């Protein structure tokens, strides 16, 4: 493994103002931690207190499904529109252990399947089809089924220093080649690798923090992300199918919990409790920061194609990625974000419920963002604090501010200012 000590520069060139994550109606207030779409229409999300929600119309509407449990769901995976699995734990009665949930009708009905052996705590599942799947979890345990989960057999794991660390994620490139990730906080992040249909797995310690998700660019080029509260976000990549890896610390606070690509080169990673996501336009070489609205924690995301994506997180929030956002034809002052000019803009504009303020700062400096009426009176102090060089996003809810025309203004510690006219509707 090669360790990189290169500081990852968070580029000033950020998102177009015409790209945005917008909140959609969610039927739950329980935190959602897992998201899975099998195609552009059918998707599910699951999380705390047994919450499962589903969509059959591409995320336009979401409905709750009855899981039959009140424990947290650690993973959710569907092989097609009908067959799906959830991993949770049995904690209400002895003996404690793993509880699997299985559906064969898209989640209309979920059937409990207690793990036969007690005190086994599993965390993640992956199915190639309705019959062939794997499940894994604490102590590096891995099991495989050939009959849709009626019977499970232990997989062969080559013993190693970190082979018994928790496995938290699994993903297969094809039926023969697959990887799993996980690790132990303050010790190591781990990748498990198989090339023989999961018969034998070999582990490798690769990072100072656990690894939480894996993405295959192809069979040779693979990326995994992770992090913890001490080391922050980290990334590893391989160009030879996982024989050798390069680790890089991104020098940003947050725990990377997922990774997906919207299109070639453009990757998105949620940072969980850091209330932000990071995104890259150059296949994870350099990164930008996107601050989530209302300080939302996002735990998982997935793009179904280049124009549609979803993210889930705290308090049941569901976000939809909307490219080419059309409601930003507004009059602006100093709107263009040149690399040496302080700038501000917001979208949508006019504002009904809330708006995303985008600023560009040509240097790391203290800034103030304020809202003024046309009499020159400050009606809201939106933000005061230090921002690094680059593009930043801050969500603003105008609340009970009266209908009318206002001026959003950003001022830095050197006295530089920029502003944009915005309209508040009822």
């Amino acid at each position: 493994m090669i360790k990189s000590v290169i500081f990852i520069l968070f580029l000033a060139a950020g998102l177009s103002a015409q790209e945005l994550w917008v909140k959609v109606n969610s039927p739950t207030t329980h935190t959602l931690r897992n998201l899975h779409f099998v195609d552009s229409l059918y998707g599910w999300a699951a999380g705390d207190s047994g919450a499962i929600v589903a969509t059959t119309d591409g995320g336009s509407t979401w409905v709750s499904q009855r899981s039959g449990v009140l424990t947290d769901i650690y993973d959710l995976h569907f092989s097609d529109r009908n067959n799906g699995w959830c991993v949770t734990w049995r904690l209400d009665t002895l003996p404690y252990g793993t509880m699997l949930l299985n559906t064969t009708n898209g989640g209309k009905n979920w059937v409990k399947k207690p793990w036969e052996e007690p005190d086994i705590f599993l965390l993640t599942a992956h199915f190639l089809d309705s019959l062939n799947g794997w499940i894994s979890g604490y102590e590096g345990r891995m099991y495989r089924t050939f009959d849709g989960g009626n019977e499970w057999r232990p997989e062969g794991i080559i013993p190693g220093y970190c082979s018994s660390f928790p496995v938290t994620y699994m993903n297969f490139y094809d039926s023969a080649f697959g990887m799993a990730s996980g690790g132990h906080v303050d010790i190591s992040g781990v990748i498990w690798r198989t090339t023989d249909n999961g018969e034998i797995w070999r582990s490798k310690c690769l990072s100072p923090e656990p690894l939480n998700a894996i993405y295959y660019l192809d069979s040779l080029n693979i990326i995994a992300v992770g992090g913890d509260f001490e080391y922050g976000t980290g990334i590893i990549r391989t160009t030879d199918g996982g024989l050798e890896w390069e680790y890089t610390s991104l020098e940003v606070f947050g725990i990377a919990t997922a990774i997906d690509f919207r299109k070639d080169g453009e990757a998105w990673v949620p940072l969980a409790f850091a209330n932000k996501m990071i995104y890259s336009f150059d296949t994870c070489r350099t990164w930008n920061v996107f601050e989530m609205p209302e300080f939302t924690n996002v735990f998982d995301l997935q793009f179904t194609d280049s124009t549609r994506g979803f993210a889930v997180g705290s308090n049941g929030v569901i976000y939809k990625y909307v490219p080419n956002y059309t409601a930003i034809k507004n009059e602006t002052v100093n709107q263009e974000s040149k690399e040496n000019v302080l700038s501000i803009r917001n979208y949508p504009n006019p504002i009904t419920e809330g708006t995303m303020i985008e600023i560009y700062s040509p240097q790391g400096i203290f800034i103030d963002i304020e809202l003024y009426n046309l009499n020159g009176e400050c009606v809201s102090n939106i933000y005061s604090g230090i921002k690094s060089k680059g593009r930043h996003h801050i969500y603003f809810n105008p609340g009970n501010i009266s209908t009318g025309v206002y001026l959003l203004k950003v001022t830095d510690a050197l006295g530089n200012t920029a502003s944009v006219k915005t309209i508040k509707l009822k």
Side-chain angles (χ1 to χ4, degrees):
M1 180 189 71
I2 302 173
K3 288 187 177 180
S4 173
V5 296
I6 299 174
F7 176 76
I8 297 296
L9 175 65
F10 283 78
L11 294 179
L15 280 178
S16 160
Q18 294 181 339
E19 298 171 326
L20 183 65
W21 291 93
V22 296
K23 188 184 295 186
V24 301
N25 290 331
S26 172
T28 184
T29 58
H30 295 298
T31 292
L32 299 172
R33 302 183 185 274
N34 306 285
L35 177 67
H36 189 80
F37 276 81
V38 295
D39 54 37
S40 62
L41 296 178
Y42 282 68
W44 296 260
D48 292 0
S49 302
I52 303 176
V53 300
T55 180
T56 59
D57 57 8
S60 296
T61 57
W62 294 79
V63 297
S64 291
Q65 295 186 339
R66 293 187 177 183
S67 66
V69 299
L70 296 176
T71 47
D72 295 346
I73 294 175
Y74 296 101
D75 196 16
L76 168 147
H77 190 269
F78 275 73
S79 61
D80 53 48
R81 290 184 174 185
N82 293 314
N83 294 280
W85 291 83
C86 290
V87 183
T88 184
W89 293 349
R90 184 179 63 249
L91 301 175
D92 54 347
T93 59
L94 292 173
Y96 299 147
T98 297
M99 174 74 75
L100 302 183
L101 307 177
N102 176 228
T103 181
T104 57
N105 56 12
K108 295 177 183 178
N109 303 101
W110 288 92
V111 178
K112 299 178 185 178
K113 295 190 173 182
W115 196 259
E116 291 185 357
E117 189 176 356
D119 299 320
I120 300 295
F121 295 95
L122 304 174
L123 295 167
T124 185
H126 183 88
F127 276 74
L128 295 177
D129 51 45
S130 62
L131 298 177
N132 295 279
W134 290 262
I135 189 169
S136 55
Y138 277 97
E139 299 179 332
R141 296 177 183 270
M142 294 188 183
Y143 301 87
R144 184 175 182 179
T145 182
F146 296 92
D147 60 4
N150 293 315
E151 294 184 3
W152 295 88
R153 75 173 195 190
E155 292 287 76
I157 300 177
I158 303 299
Y161 170 74
C162 50
S163 61
S164 61
F165 288 175
V167 183
T168 58
Y169 181 85
M170 303 183 77
N171 195 1
F172 275 71
Y173 180 76
D174 55 33
S175 60
F177 179 35
M179 291 187 178
S181 64
H184 196 292
V185 175
D186 295 332
I187 300 180
S188 181
V190 187
I191 291 289
W192 291 261
R193 180 174 178 267
T194 182
T195 57
D196 58 1
N197 304 92
E199 295 293 327
I200 299 296
W201 295 80
R202 292 174 171 83
S203 61
K204 184 174 289 190
C205 305
L206 294 171
S207 64
E209 68 278 321
L211 296 165
N212 298 319
I214 301 166
Y215 187 89
Y216 298 93
L217 296 167
D218 54 46
S219 62
L220 297 177
N221 295 278
I222 306 161
I223 296 169
V225 296
D228 63 22
F229 289 108
E230 178 180 359
Y231 288 94
T233 300
I235 182 173
I236 64 170
R237 64 170 66 232
T238 179
T239 58
D240 59 9
L243 299 178
E244 297 292 334
W245 296 81
E246 178 183 5
Y247 165 79
T248 303
S249 173
L250 300 189
E251 301 291 340
V252 61
F253 176 75
I255 299 175
T257 50
I259 179 172
D260 200 11
F261 278 69
R262 185 176 76 89
K263 59 182 180 180
D264 289 346
E266 184 182 325
W268 284 81
V269 174
L271 299 187
F273 303 102
N275 315 128
K276 63 184 69 174
M277 290 197 276
I278 56 175
Y279 58 98
S280 171
F281 293 133
D282 56 6
T283 318
C284 305
R285 296 297 179 183
T286 53
W287 295 88
N288 308 270
V289 175
F290 186 92
E291 297 186 27
M292 296 305 299
E294 302 175 344
F295 303 103
T296 305
N297 301 323
V298 174
F299 296 101
D300 203 0
L301 61 80
Q302 184 179 350
F303 290 95
T304 57
D305 55 44
S306 63
T307 63
R308 183 176 300 173
F310 293 89
V312 297
S314 56
N315 301 314
V317 69
I318 302 173
Y319 285 105
K320 180 179 180 180
Y321 181 86
V322 182
N324 300 320
Y325 203 79
T326 59
I328 60 167
K329 295 180 180 178
N330 54 308
E331 181 181 355
T332 63
V333 181
N334 294 330
Q335 178 173 296
E336 295 184 1
S337 294
K338 299 178 181 178
E339 291 191 359
N340 60 345
V341 176
L342 181 68
S343 68
I344 186 171
R345 53 187 171 186
N346 70 296
Y347 45 92
N349 187 6
I351 307 171
T352 54
E353 296 180 352
T355 187
M356 184 70 70
I357 300 171
E358 179 185 88
I359 67 160
Y360 176 78
S361 177
Q363 58 190 312
I365 198 169
F366 190 95
I367 65 166
D368 289 299
I369 302 175
E370 299 165 312
L371 184 70
Y372 288 84
N373 62 25
L374 295 186
N375 294 324
E377 301 168 331
C378 180
V379 298
S380 180
N381 295 300
I382 299 171
Y383 177 85
S384 293
I386 296 174
K387 287 294 185 184
S388 61
K389 176 182 177 180
R391 197 179 306 271
H392 302 277
H393 297 83
I394 298 168
Y395 184 80
F396 172 56
N397 188 334
N400 295 324
I401 291 176
S402 302
T403 299
V405 180
Y406 294 87
L407 201 66
L408 272 170
K409 183 179 180 181
V410 58
T411 306
D412 67 21
L414 297 177
N416 300 310
T417 65
S419 58
V420 58
K421 189 180 295 183
T422 187
I423 300 172
K424 170 65 166 61
L425 299 179
K426 292 182 179 180

